[in-house]
Amino acid sequence: MASTKEIKSHIASVRDTQKITNAMYLIASTKMRKVKRELDQTRPYFDAIRSEIKRIFRTVGEIDSQYFYPVSGRSEDLPGAYGYLVITADKGLAGSYNQNALRMAQEKMVNHSGENKLFVVGEYGRQYYTARHIPIEKSFLYTAQNPTLQRARDICDLLLDLYQRQELRKIYVIYTDLEGGMEASAKAVRLLPFHHAQFTDTAESHQPVFQFLPNVEQVLDNIIPSYVTGFIYSALVDSFCSEQNARMAAMDSANQNAQALLDDLSAQFHHARQSAITQEITEISSGALGQRRYQQQLEGGGQP
């Protein structure tokens, strides 16, 4: 059995670790609330853009646009390179958050027989692909810890430029969505091209007549980049919130494990302390008994 000094040192070490995990839990909680508040402030703008795109389709009907699949027929398997924007964290300590996103990206890339081009956000993803010698087309070197609208625009500009030059025929976003504010799951969403059905809404049967200048195609081409920016920004924020939620869960589990370990160590300490006290009492009693026998022998005239 370990000595009381060793057990006390172990208890102090576990308590120090518990302070760190508890602080990380509180920090993650604060970060998540802040970024969700920022997303809530910008979401109405992008919802309005989506509504306007729907309005265009309700007014004009079939539109031939580079951002959409052809109106006639299905063209699911477009020839050419596919782009994958993979969003991870900058570090671990977040449960299976990073691995789930990377596994989802791998599944999508395996299913495509053509060329794949990776675009990575987050240091964890960069290190993962670099260690496995998987080429990255573009690594966005800013931190995943601070998703902003400007960074979403930068990503959007690059991806749209490659798409418009047909260097990318499809673009997927692999991110983690915090569904309902509780359960997080990795998702692979096709960002481009769109299906017409995504913006076809027959809820409003009577629509006023609109005039689009210079023409409806150019109006749509001006709106789509803002919509794509909004989706990417939302994916960055959802991933960040999912990361913080996963880190909160991991730190909470670590706190519970630390507390269970402290309870076990405390029981060991009390047992060791009680054993030491019992041993001391036994030694004192034995010494007192020996001293009493010695005195009795002296009083009886016997030899000590």
Side-chain angles (χ1 to χ4, degrees):
M1 179 182 294
S3 66
T4 55
K5 182 178 180 180
E6 292 174 338
I7 296 175
K8 285 180 68 176
S9 176
H10 196 178
I11 289 175
S13 176
V14 173
R15 283 177 175 166
D16 289 341
T17 302
Q18 192 178 37
K19 291 177 182 178
I20 295 173
T21 56
N22 187 56
M24 292 181 67
Y25 177 91
L26 296 176
I27 291 171
S29 176
T30 302
K31 287 182 176 179
M32 186 172 69
R33 286 197 302 269
K34 177 184 177 183
V35 75
K36 285 185 70 174
R37 184 167 58 250
E38 293 175 354
L39 177 63
D40 291 339
Q41 293 173 351
T42 57
R43 193 185 295 275
Y45 170 73
F46 298 106
D47 289 342
I49 292 177
R50 181 179 179 85
S51 298
E52 290 307 311
I53 297 174
K54 286 185 175 182
R55 189 192 301 275
I56 292 174
F57 277 88
R58 286 196 299 265
T59 304
V60 179
E62 296 182 352
I63 302 174
D64 186 15
S65 172
Q66 61 178 330
Y67 298 114
F68 289 80
Y69 280 113
V71 177
S72 59
R74 295 170 61 88
S75 302
E76 292 290 347
D77 297 326
L78 297 176
Y82 289 5
Y84 301 87
L85 175 63
V86 183
I87 302 174
T88 65
D90 288 328
K91 55 187 177 182
L93 298 177
S96 60
Y97 165 79
N98 289 300
Q99 292 302 321
N100 288 342
L102 294 171
R103 190 180 303 113
M104 177 65 69
Q106 184 63 26
E107 291 175 0
K108 292 298 297 184
M109 289 189 289
V110 167
N111 292 332
H112 179 229
S113 59
E115 183 183 1
N116 296 316
K117 294 186 178 182
L118 273 172
F119 303 84
V120 181
V121 174
E123 185 61 30
Y124 193 99
R126 287 192 287 271
Q127 294 296 334
Y128 175 87
Y129 290 118
T130 301
R132 288 159 178 78
H133 305 289
I134 300 175
I136 300 175
E137 185 71 17
K138 173 65 177 179
S139 182
F140 300 98
L141 296 179
Y142 44 73
T143 174
Q145 295 293 310
N146 185 25
T148 64
L149 197 54
Q150 183 56 50
R151 290 175 177 175
R153 290 193 184 99
D154 294 340
I155 297 173
C156 174
D157 291 343
L158 174 63
L159 295 179
L160 283 183
D161 179 62
L162 294 173
Y163 181 81
Q164 290 164 358
R165 290 191 278 120
Q166 295 191 350
E167 294 184 24
L168 295 177
R169 299 307 303 276
K170 281 187 182 181
I171 299 175
Y172 288 90
V173 179
I174 291 88
Y175 71 104
T176 308
D177 186 20
L178 192 61
E179 299 175 345
M182 295 298 293
E183 294 293 332
S185 60
K187 286 187 174 183
V189 178
R190 188 190 68 252
L191 182 59
L192 288 171
F194 299 112
H195 273 302
H196 287 75
Q198 292 177 249
F199 298 97
T200 301
D201 188 357
T202 58
E204 299 180 27
S205 57
H206 300 288
Q207 293 294 325
V209 177
F210 291 93
Q211 183 179 8
F212 300 98
L213 297 175
N215 55 61
V216 66
E217 286 77 14
Q218 291 193 30
V219 171
L220 194 60
D221 288 349
N222 288 330
I223 294 178
I224 290 296
S226 294
Y227 178 76
V228 172
T229 297
F231 188 93
I232 293 175
Y233 176 61
S234 178
L236 290 172
V237 172
D238 284 339
S239 294
F240 181 76
C241 290
S242 298
E243 176 197 347
Q244 301 310 316
N245 185 70
R247 182 161 290 114
M248 288 169 61
M251 294 304 103
D252 183 59
S253 178
N255 283 334
Q256 293 179 14
N257 292 337
Q259 189 59 50
L261 182 58
L262 284 174
D263 293 341
D264 182 61
L265 288 173
S266 296
Q268 292 182 33
F269 175 78
H270 292 309
H271 181 69
R273 186 167 178 268
Q274 188 62 44
S275 297
I277 293 173
T278 302
Q279 183 178 355
E280 289 179 4
I281 293 175
T282 301
E283 291 175 353
I284 292 172
S285 299
S286 298
L289 180 60
Q291 182 68 22
R292 188 161 53 249
R293 287 177 179 176
Y294 179 79
Q295 290 294 334
Q296 289 175 353
Q297 289 178 356
L298 289 178
E299 292 174 358
Q303 294 295 325

